[in-house]
Amino acid sequence: MAKNKSLGRWLISGPPLLYLLIFFAIPTLIMAFAAFRFPGDYGGLLPFIDINPESGKNELLIHAGNWQEFLTFENFSRFFEDTIYVELFIKSFWYAGITTLVCLCMSYPLAWLIARSPKKYRDLLILLVILPFWSNFLIRVYAWMIILGPQGYFAMTINQGLALVGIAPIQLMYSHFAVIVVLVYVHLPFMVLPLYANLEKHDVALLDAAQDLGASGWRRFWKITWPLSLPGVWAGSALVFIPALGMFAVPDLLGGTDGMMIGNLIKQQFLDSRDWPFGSVLSIMLTLAVLMMAGLGMMIGRGRQRNAL
Amino acid sequence: MALLEIRDVVKQFGDFTAVNHVSLSVEAGEFFTLLGPSGCGKTTLLRMLAGFEQPDSGEIILDGVNVAGVPPEKRPVHTVFQNYALFPHMTVAQNIAFPLKMANVPSEELKQRVAEVLEDVQLTPFAQRFPHEMSGGQRQRVAIARALVNRPRLLLLDEPLSALDAKLREEMQIELINLQKEVGITFVYVTHDQGEALALSHRIAVMNKGQVAQLDVPEVIYSHPKSRFVADFIGQCNLLDGTIVGIGHDRMQVEIAGVGIAETLLLPDAKVGQKGTLTLRPEKIKLAASLPLDVADEVHFKGKVHDCLYLGDVTMYVIELENGILVETMLPNSAPGRAKFFDDNDLVELAWRYDAGHFILS
């Protein structure tokens, strides 16, 4: 009986586990390994097995005597030698952080309103939130380029307004502003959905109880609603922060010369510079940085529990 | 001056009148119960006392102050909610400290008062637990402690024991009575459980369809229900329809159609020919194979056993009178050995004192 149960459990969890192993763990390991290798002559990696010019046969070229020609720490030292990469990391974290914060501030009231609206409208409202997913991501980004572009009504109206008070016209496109606006737009649903899922489950009786026991509106929010919504806040923040951090299409299209993020650099290494090893180093560093942040977040979360009065 | 005065309060939700011209007053230190079936308006009345609803008309005077428009957080009234509504992210101690924090009580005093009230509800060892780590009865006590800690003028309890099982409910009833005596805070208790109301309350207001059907001490509510509704709602009660056929100087004769004449207490404004209902509690009826006739002050009828329900401590006998009318009566199972005195279709005799019942004019 017990054996059957555990077999059943393996049957159910097996396929997704296998999927993760094949499509997540193995590529990550390949990438980690690639970070220690040299780039190949025409991109890719310098092969271990190739035609030996002496014998003219396909054979394993690496051996104990010459491994340094195939494996190296140079890619990592290159990352730390020039501050430009760390600076780009910090800038990307900054972009992703601002994006997350703006998404949170915009999504919280929206998710709260949807969660508190009559049950029959909730599904419709949630549908409206995810409606943008029905059109292509790039098309939506191009739409923003039209909106923010100098010939767009949005930019024209703003600049006309500025002209009235005597301020020179500003450029909205190809700026930090444009990148963050579109990053926020693209990621907003990822914040709204987990927040809504959390807020919708809140027991309204708790707010009644808090009010009955003397809590004013703001205190009810900060003492009851906000702490109880933290799992939703963390989930939404992770869902926004992590993809925003690795985003390359938006800064590519809207960032101009100054708007580059870490994602662009990684893409550049793999596609343009054909330096897979260094691209791998950048990817690994990004993964490590995100893991460290997640660990830090968990530690803070644990520290909050069960503290005294 | 009463602590709480409710004057002619009306509350409507759309076409539905939840509370219909209710007036009552509650004295300081009283354990007052609003009793009634669901939808009778008792919870709406409680929510108006807490401040969650505003009366459409009428006044609620607490401590001499009209509380109209005062929001819940500003009223010296705290509530024990039906499902406790404990804050799941706070420990027991933090839950209990919440109202004190909201009232900006200094931290030293806060700690002391939380400790005191934890002691009162015997939860001191559980201070650092979270609500989900506790049993239903313990959560209930936390909810009461949280509502009491800031010493409200009025404690409202909204069916606080309804989520507990029968055994625990009984224990909590005793605890509630003792706690109320100890803290001396006025309790307004809402329940649909008549047994609970009778056991706990100093006074009970029985509510029906938004109105107070009867307001009195438990003994009077039980033994002298003023209306058919109250008689039927509180405990087991035989309701025998009859007509007044004779009036004496302290009692009157009521004819129960097809059964006979029963003497009962005189109603002040009774007239011959008026119809009504004789209410009679099962435990006030004597039951035996034969009972002496012509005992002074006793009403005497014959019947046969229709059903027996063995309830452990007592056996309930349903007796069919001559007209097919069923009367419930009970015998305590005090004798050792045979618990059942009668079987179905046994011929039996019933008797009760003329003042055991109570005639309600319809």
Side-chain angles (χ1 to χ4, degrees), chain A residues 220-238:
Chain A
R220 290 201 287 282
F221 176 77
W222 285 116
K223 295 279 179 185
I224 312 294
T225 307
W226 174 253
L228 286 175
S229 69
L230 281 181
V233 171
W234 289 125
S237 299

Side-chain angles (χ1 to χ4, degrees), chain A residues 73-281:
Chain A
F73 287 103
E74 206 178 276
N75 300 313
F76 283 93
S77 47
R78 183 174 153 204
F79 177 82
F80 291 107
E81 267 161 20
D82 196 337
T83 55
I84 189 172
Y85 302 115
V86 175
E87 276 165 23
L88 193 60
F89 259 70
I90 291 170
K91 185 177 154 201
S92 301
F93 272 78
W94 174 244
Y95 270 23
I98 294 277
T99 301
T100 308
L101 204 65
V102 175
C103 275
L104 181 63
C105 293
M106 287 173 74
S107 302
Y108 205 103
L110 180 63
W112 190 86
L113 272 175
I114 297 174
R116 291 285 158 271
S117 59
K119 232 184 182 118
K120 55 179 176 177
Y121 297 127
R122 281 186 216 162
D123 287 344
L124 179 71
L125 292 169
I126 282 298
L127 187 74
L128 289 177
V129 170
I130 57 175
L131 202 62
F133 287 135
W134 290 8
S135 70
N136 182 281
F137 168 77
L138 279 177
I139 290 176
R140 284 181 284 139
V141 175
Y142 277 112
W144 271 102
M145 291 173 74
I146 295 170
I147 294 170
L148 295 174
Q151 298 306 311
Y153 283 110
F154 181 68
M156 269 159 59
T157 313
I158 283 185
N159 280 328
Q160 276 164 11
L162 289 175
L164 284 179
V165 289
I167 298 174
I170 51 165
Q171 192 186 359
L172 296 178
M173 268 296 278
Y174 308 118
S175 65
H176 301 248
F177 172 78
V179 174
I180 287 174
V181 164
V182 177
L183 281 179
V184 166
Y185 162 77
V186 166
H187 292 103
L188 207 57
F190 296 105
M191 185 65 93
V192 176
L193 291 178
L195 275 177
Y196 165 76
N198 175 288
L199 289 170
E200 197 238 347
K201 277 185 283 188
H202 282 206
D203 183 0
V204 190
L206 295 180
L207 292 178
D208 274 0
Q211 186 176 16
D212 183 75
L213 295 168
S216 60
W218 275 111
R219 289 179 111 174
R220 290 201 287 282
F221 176 77
W222 285 116
K223 295 279 179 185
I224 312 294
T225 307
W226 174 253
L228 286 175
S229 69
L230 281 181
V233 171
W234 289 125
S237 299
L239 285 179
V240 170
F241 185 84
I242 294 169
L245 192 61
M247 180 65 76
F248 59 86
V250 172
D252 237 13
L253 294 169
L254 292 129
T257 48
D258 193 27
M260 197 178 187
M261 287 174 72
I262 188 69
N264 300 91
L265 185 64
I266 294 173
K267 188 205 102 183
Q268 217 176 62
Q269 294 307 316
F270 278 101
L271 299 182
D272 306 333
S273 312
R274 308 219 162 189
D275 191 344
W276 287 21
F278 190 59
S280 299
V281 167

Side-chain angles (χ1 to χ4, degrees), chain A residues 203 205-217 219-220 223-225 227-228 305-309, chain B residues 47 52 72-73 77-79 81 85-90 93-94 97-99 101-102 104 110 128 133 146:
Chain A
D203 183 0
L206 295 180
L207 292 178
D208 274 0
Q211 186 176 16
D212 183 75
L213 295 168
S216 60
R219 289 179 111 174
R220 290 201 287 282
K223 295 279 179 185
I224 312 294
T225 307
L228 286 175
Q305 284 190 4
R306 230 188 266 270
N307 43 9
L309 287 179
Chain B
R47 286 180 66 81
F52 291 114
E73 64 266 34
V77 175
H78 290 175
T79 308
F81 289 87
L86 298 179
F87 306 130
H89 57 299
M90 298 184 196
Q94 288 167 334
F98 187 83
K101 281 202 169 152
M102 292 306 113
N104 298 318
L110 179 142
Q128 295 311 315
E133 297 167 331
R146 188 179 67 174

Side-chain angles (χ1 to χ4, degrees), chain B residues 307-325:
Chain B
D307 279 307
C308 311
L309 285 91
Y310 178 67
L311 302 176
D313 52 347
V314 296
T315 301
M316 177 77 73
Y317 295 93
V318 182
I319 311 298
E320 186 178 342
L321 300 183
E322 281 164 32
N323 197 25
I325 294 173

